[in-house]
Amino acid sequence: MSFSSDINKELVRRLNAIEFKKNKMIYTRELKEEVVATLVHISRYYNNRKTNVGYFYLSLDIGVSFMAVNKLYQNLTGSKTLFYDSIVHKNLGYLMPIKQYKEWEFVEGENMTPVFDDMFECIHNYAYPYYNHMSDLNIVFDTMKSGEGIVHIARDRYLPILYYLRGDKQSGLRVIDEAFERQLHPKQPEIPNINGAKIEIFVGPGHGIVDPSYVTFAKNYRDLPEPNQSNL
């Protein structure tokens, strides 16, 4: 499809111009030694059958990857491939004054240049400051520890590693124990009391079971030697 292809080509051209290179499924740019800025673009296409006009939507996920964390995570999971996992990441819209999910809309037959100009101005104005701020692993640790804006699955994986790199394996083990407890005994969601309403709760197959991959992670973490000192 020429419309979608043209958008993707222009996106890649502009990302390369600001030194982002494709690395598997994401784009990366070195911030400093062992610290990498990540950018993931998510796209969707819609065709209006009445007008036969295509609409292409692009959103950007902005993150920071630390190789020391990724290498240890790779060892703990037994993965053969080292990924540039972003320890912290946000949709670009949440870094902007709008503070909500943001997509850029491209309309088939219309000039795409102003849309790209706006997108890359937002990258410069809002993604770059985030990259610079989050390139400090101590700041990432404080963010991860507070849990603000961090989903459980990321905190369960990365906070124990961050504790270990700080020379504190025992605090990491407590995080793992808390994760096991939460997965084994998940809290029921709060259901509003609505008169006359019929409420049904559907529980997935993983309810009350620890994710097997996390069991492997936890076992290997417990087997790590006691760290001598902080590596941060």
Side-chain angles (χ1 to χ4, degrees):
M1 185 180 298
S2 179
F3 173 50
S4 300
S5 177
D6 289 345
I7 292 172
N8 282 313
K9 286 179 181 177
E10 179 63 10
L11 176 65
V12 172
R13 186 191 72 79
R14 291 194 181 220
L15 287 174
N16 288 342
I18 57 174
E19 301 181 346
F20 275 89
K21 306 299 180 184
K22 191 169 186 180
N23 195 314
K24 297 185 174 65
M25 300 301 293
I26 67 175
Y27 284 83
T28 62
R29 174 186 175 185
E30 185 173 306
L31 293 172
K32 56 186 180 182
E33 186 176 3
E34 296 282 285
V35 183
V36 176
T38 65
L39 184 148
V40 177
H41 64 86
I42 302 164
S43 62
R44 61 187 181 94
Y45 175 79
Y46 166 72
N47 180 265
N48 187 318
R49 294 184 178 181
K50 291 184 179 179
T51 61
N52 199 31
V53 174
Y55 294 82
F56 193 92
Y57 297 89
L58 268 177
S59 66
L60 303 177
D61 192 79
I62 306 300
V64 180
S65 176
F66 295 83
M67 299 315 297
V69 176
N70 289 340
K71 288 173 184 176
L72 183 50
Y73 181 71
Q74 179 189 18
N75 291 336
L76 293 174
T77 57
S79 173
K80 296 180 180 179
T81 304
L82 178 63
F83 293 101
Y84 286 86
D85 278 347
S86 304
I87 302 178
V88 286
H89 60 92
K90 288 180 179 289
N91 174 269
L92 182 53
Y94 288 100
L95 303 175
M96 297 165 59
I98 60 173
K99 301 297 181 187
Q100 63 184 33
Y101 189 84
K102 168 70 176 177
E103 290 181 312
W104 279 263
E105 180 186 71
F106 298 84
V107 182
E108 190 171 12
E110 295 187 3
N111 184 6
M112 68 175 69
T113 298
V115 184
F116 271 118
D117 287 346
D118 178 67
M119 177 189 294
F120 277 78
E121 183 179 1
C122 289
I123 291 174
H124 182 271
N125 291 339
Y126 305 109
Y128 281 11
Y130 181 79
Y131 286 140
N132 292 333
H133 182 64
M134 287 298 182
S135 65
D136 185 336
L137 197 50
N138 290 304
I139 292 175
V140 172
F141 170 77
D142 290 340
T143 302
M144 192 68 64
K145 186 178 177 182
S146 74
E148 184 177 353
I150 306 295
V151 296
H152 280 310
I153 190 171
R155 192 173 187 271
D156 293 346
R157 291 192 300 180
Y158 295 127
L159 187 54
I161 291 175
L162 293 174
Y163 269 122
Y164 188 83
L165 293 176
R166 297 171 73 89
D168 185 1
K169 179 182 176 182
Q170 296 306 310
S171 291
L173 287 171
R174 284 193 288 272
V175 173
I176 289 173
D177 290 341
E178 291 169 3
F180 268 69
E181 178 65 20
R182 188 178 62 257
Q183 292 184 49
L184 287 171
H185 304 98
K187 293 181 179 179
Q188 292 288 357
E190 292 186 8
I191 305 298
N193 184 15
I194 304 175
N195 291 333
K198 182 180 179 182
I199 304 295
E200 293 186 50
I201 300 177
F202 294 90
V203 179
H207 183 81
I209 300 173
V210 178
D211 181 348
S213 65
Y214 195 69
V215 173
T216 299
F217 171 89
K219 178 185 180 303
N220 290 334
Y221 186 93
R222 295 180 198 281
D223 291 341
L224 287 173
E226 286 291 337
N228 293 324
Q229 59 185 14
S230 172
N231 294 317
L232 297 186

